[in-house]
Amino acid sequence: MKAMPEKLSAPGLPMAGWGRRLLPYAPVLPGVLFLAVFLILPLVQTAWSSIHDPASGRLSPVEFVRVFQIPAYRQVLWNTVWVGLWCTLFSVGIGYPVAFWLATTSERTRRRALFLIMAPFWTSVLVRNFTWLVLLGRHGPVAGFMRMVGLHGADSLLFNRPLLIVAMLYVLLPMAIISMLPAHRSISRQWLDAACTMGAGWADLFWRVYMPLTLRGTAAAALLVFLSALGFFITPMLLGGRHDVLLGELIILQIDRLQNWNFGNALAVIIVLAGGIAILLTNWLFDLSGTASRRAAVSRAPVIHDRLARISAVIGSLVPRFLWPGRHGGTCLAVFAWSVIAFLGVPLLAIVPMAFTRDSFLVFPPHLGTLRWFVTYFHDPLWISATLRSLRIGFGAATLAVVLSGLAAFGIARMKGRMAGLGILAFMVPLAVPPIVIALAQFGLFARVSMIATDSAIMLGHTVLCMPIVFTILLGGFRSYNWQLNQAAATLGARMPQILGHVLLPLLRPVLVAGFVAGFLTSFDELTIALFLGGGLKTTLPKQMWDAVLLEVSPLLVAVSVVMMLLITVLFVIMESMQRNRAAP
């Protein structure tokens, strides 16, 4: 009996040849059109506004010239690139051993460690930055401990360049670890065993075998971290010093306070151009797209890896035998990985007791024994209104992202060749554009249709940010799905609606729930879009917290942070349990 074609169409409907050729791409079109309207078009309008002089009606690069002519603006540009590079270097340098350990440890340990890494990752960026204000403030636990033991400098822990880099690293490190992990897990143990059989030492094994195999994944993670760091403005505004202004913060200043939209658009375009240069340079060095010719693939990389292996071997020969990596390497690596995980989780847990303080401001040690601040939160109409709005917008954005990304993942999972790669690239575009640039661009779009200060505008803006994350989760689920089940159901007479309702969707329900929760958490945490599209009238919970942080750091903010952490943890546990149930035989 001849096998049925893998791609199913609605039975009984005659279809022309061109229609059959276009049918596989139909599920991808709604998502592509959505991104074209709410991302690409606004970005093009932003670029046009940056060179268009509304007074004279002429095209002029004067706003870009200002950035490079005025020393203060040049310093901001340099600060942004320099801080981004440092964050990328530390994120990859610290995250690489953790990703290696996660890939080589047992499945049970890996799932527990990933839970502890992902929980802070999904926690609000504002909460994570607020944590440093609480812990390192003049009345915080660190300053209190320093005074207790007689150390100086307790009043100058905040607002400096080292703290800014540490705080940004605290936000970016989980992203780096999660991005590098797939490359480490894709390496077959048999390749390493074969290298050992041929006499490779630990230095040769790492630099000549393991490192080259993970190089593309590491470069992709570094690129993602750098692109994210380019658009940071929350961390610099809360924790940076006077000389640590970054481009994102300068955009907020120009738009929010000075109403200089042309210059703000020019700064946004500069961020996009810097990111584009980083993408092209990284692709040229590491061929992330995999399109380089064989001749171009022959480079100096083997020579570099050979020299690194020899240097490492020489250094290793100088190390005492009881410190050899082969003897205690596994233990040291595990200790290092758990230390990094503790760095990510402990600060969030450390502020929890301060939500129960009886004092009217944050002091250490706190005088515990009251639920006053939680009661204040739940009885304050302003806070409750902001929370309910965040819940509504998060639910809407997650639902829309699941529908659009789910259709696209369904179509792309069944494609092959270059079209599948182009489809994936299209849905990854929002990750390459900093949220502050997206927010600025969408403000211009929604202002033209009088949608500023509406929940719908914020929801549509959040959907753009949610789609890459939801798409990645759903694409993995669709690619692991056994499509022969659909063929078997069609053979038994089931029509397409029956196949979708009784076969495909029930089996993929855990993946869909995980994608929905991921989209909801992304929207619920988001501040930048709400800051621009809310127009100062529609306040989400992160926006309300942002306003409160700028006014006063009080125990009420800690209580709200604890509530957000609890909600996010519950939803993340649901997402993880769904994924675990799906993975179980």
Side-chain angles (χ1 to χ4, degrees), residues 337-348:
W338 284 114
S339 299
V340 173
I341 294 173
F343 165 73
L344 295 175
V346 170
L348 290 174

Side-chain angles (χ1 to χ4, degrees), residues 368-390:
L368 304 178
T370 181
L371 297 176
R372 164 191 172 188
W373 302 109
F374 293 96
V375 173
T376 302
Y377 165 66
F378 286 108
H379 285 80
D380 191 320
L382 190 61
W383 283 100
I384 295 301
S385 174
T387 303
L388 294 178
R389 178 171 289 109
S390 289

Side-chain angles (χ1 to χ4, degrees), residues 131-346:
T131 299
W132 295 107
L133 289 175
V134 175
L135 296 180
L136 302 182
R138 294 182 178 181
H139 303 287
V142 176
F145 175 79
M146 292 178 65
R147 294 190 187 96
M148 187 184 305
V149 298
L151 295 177
H152 299 286
D155 296 334
S156 58
L157 297 175
L158 295 173
F159 315 123
N160 53 73
R161 176 67 63 85
L163 174 61
L164 174 62
I165 294 177
V166 171
M168 292 179 63
L169 176 66
Y170 183 66
V171 176
L172 296 170
L173 184 56
M175 181 192 304
I177 295 173
I178 296 166
S179 302
M180 286 187 285
L181 182 58
H184 288 263
R185 295 200 64 185
S186 65
I187 297 177
S188 174
R189 182 70 185 180
Q190 296 177 348
W191 301 343
L192 305 181
D193 293 339
C196 292
T197 303
M198 298 179 68
W202 68 269
D204 297 312
L205 191 64
F206 178 77
W207 290 109
R208 295 175 176 171
V209 181
Y210 195 88
M211 172 60 80
L213 292 174
T214 60
L215 196 57
R216 277 187 181 176
T218 304
L223 178 61
L224 183 60
V225 169
F226 181 75
L227 293 176
S228 301
L230 285 179
F232 263 56
F233 80 93
I234 298 175
T235 306
M237 288 188 71
L238 292 181
L239 303 172
R242 291 185 305 148
H243 304 291
D244 298 321
V245 179
L246 305 187
L247 278 175
E249 187 177 354
L250 185 59
I251 290 177
I252 295 292
L253 173 65
Q254 295 295 324
I255 298 298
D256 189 43
R257 298 183 184 179
L258 304 179
Q259 297 296 308
N260 192 346
W261 288 91
N262 278 24
F263 190 53
N265 288 331
L267 294 174
V269 171
I270 289 176
I271 291 181
V272 174
L273 292 177
I277 293 173
I279 293 173
L280 293 176
L281 183 61
T282 306
N283 185 62
W284 178 68
L285 291 174
F286 302 101
D287 188 25
L288 298 183
S289 61
T291 58
S293 63
R294 292 185 177 181
R295 179 175 296 181
V298 179
S299 63
R300 298 180 180 179
V303 178
I304 296 175
H305 291 303
D306 179 71
R307 291 179 179 176
L308 291 174
R310 293 186 179 186
I311 294 173
S312 298
V314 172
I315 295 176
S317 64
L318 303 177
V319 177
R321 294 182 63 87
F322 66 88
L323 292 178
W324 277 7
R327 189 178 294 256
H328 300 290
T331 303
C332 294
L333 191 61
V335 170
F336 177 82
W338 284 114
S339 299
V340 173
I341 294 173
F343 165 73
L344 295 175
V346 170

Side-chain angles (χ1 to χ4, degrees), residues 392-473:
R392 290 195 304 268
I393 292 175
F395 184 87
T399 302
L400 187 56
V402 167
V403 172
L404 295 175
S405 300
L407 289 172
F410 172 80
I412 293 175
R414 309 176 75 189
M415 294 181 188
K416 294 181 180 179
R418 181 171 297 180
M419 293 305 298
L422 291 176
I424 294 174
L425 181 62
F427 281 84
M428 293 294 107
V429 168
L431 291 180
V433 184
I436 190 171
V437 177
I438 297 177
L440 180 59
Q442 288 181 339
F443 184 92
L445 173 68
F446 288 116
R448 288 178 172 86
V449 294
S450 301
M451 285 184 63
I452 297 299
T454 63
D455 291 353
S456 299
I458 301 175
M459 185 196 69
L460 292 172
H462 284 184
T463 303
V464 173
L465 298 182
C466 295
M467 284 180 66
I469 299 172
V470 176
F471 173 78
T472 302
I473 296 174

